[in-house]
Amino acid sequence: MAEPAVPMPRRRRIELPMLEARNRFMQLLRLASLTGQVTVVTDQGRPAAAIVPASAVLSDEPSTAPKTHTENAAAGWMRRIEQVREAVRRQHATRISELEHALTAAWDVIDRVAPRGTDRAADELRVAQRDVLSMPPPTEGSPARPS
């Protein structure tokens, strides 16, 4: 099972020149609302303004909105990761089943071309693949055998 997502730590205050803050304005707004990031905008090295979370200005009490939003986002990402993992597991099961079918067909051909005891190399392969050959042949559409 996956480890739980850890909420992002609150970032420290950063300072950006006015031009860079203008270019990254949307990103800075989102960081402020999601993580509580405070960005001080400087004009020729002197603080001129700040981009802060709205909760810091609108109320005197510390807001739990960024934390709740971060937790919700983390939970959503964990659900998505689990969905992707399950899809990959299904794809792998399908590929394994296809390979098992191909291997069974290959051994059928080898058995027809070189029956047991007639070709030493084929017999050595049979010994090396004894565990695979002892399994029942896969049925069409069956899930992959557990390994």
Side-chain angles (χ1 to χ4, degrees):
M1 183 122 211
E3 293 183 15
V6 178
M8 292 175 57
R10 284 200 173 239
R11 294 183 178 204
R12 294 180 293 160
R13 183 179 99 160
I14 63 169
E15 292 186 9
L16 291 177
M18 200 179 305
L19 182 61
E20 187 174 349
R22 188 186 79 177
N23 291 337
R24 296 175 49 192
F25 185 70
M26 294 302 293
Q27 177 187 14
L28 295 172
L29 284 180
R30 288 191 178 110
L31 275 172
S33 68
L34 292 174
T35 66
Q37 172 75 50
V38 174
T39 304
V40 176
V41 180
T42 60
D43 184 13
Q44 296 180 351
R46 292 186 309 265
I51 300 173
V52 297
S55 61
V57 177
L58 298 177
S59 71
D60 293 333
E61 299 174 16
S63 174
T64 59
K67 182 179 178 186
T68 304
H69 184 71
T70 302
E71 289 173 352
N72 290 341
W77 277 108
M78 290 307 296
R79 281 192 302 275
R80 179 65 182 135
I81 288 169
E82 288 303 320
Q83 290 171 346
V84 170
R85 282 183 179 160
E86 187 56 37
V88 169
R89 284 185 193 113
R90 282 193 304 272
Q91 289 173 354
H92 282 236
T94 301
R95 298 288 186 246
I96 288 170
S97 179
E98 291 169 355
L99 287 170
E100 287 176 342
H101 284 284
L103 186 59
T104 300
W107 277 109
D108 289 343
V109 170
I110 292 171
D111 287 341
R112 276 197 312 272
V113 172
R116 295 179 195 271
T118 59
D119 186 343
R120 183 176 177 167
D123 289 339
E124 288 174 359
L125 286 173
R126 284 185 184 94
V127 169
Q129 295 287 311
R130 186 178 304 150
D131 58 334
V132 175
L133 295 173
S134 65
M135 290 186 214
T139 57
E140 197 63 37
S142 69
R145 292 182 282 237
S147 47

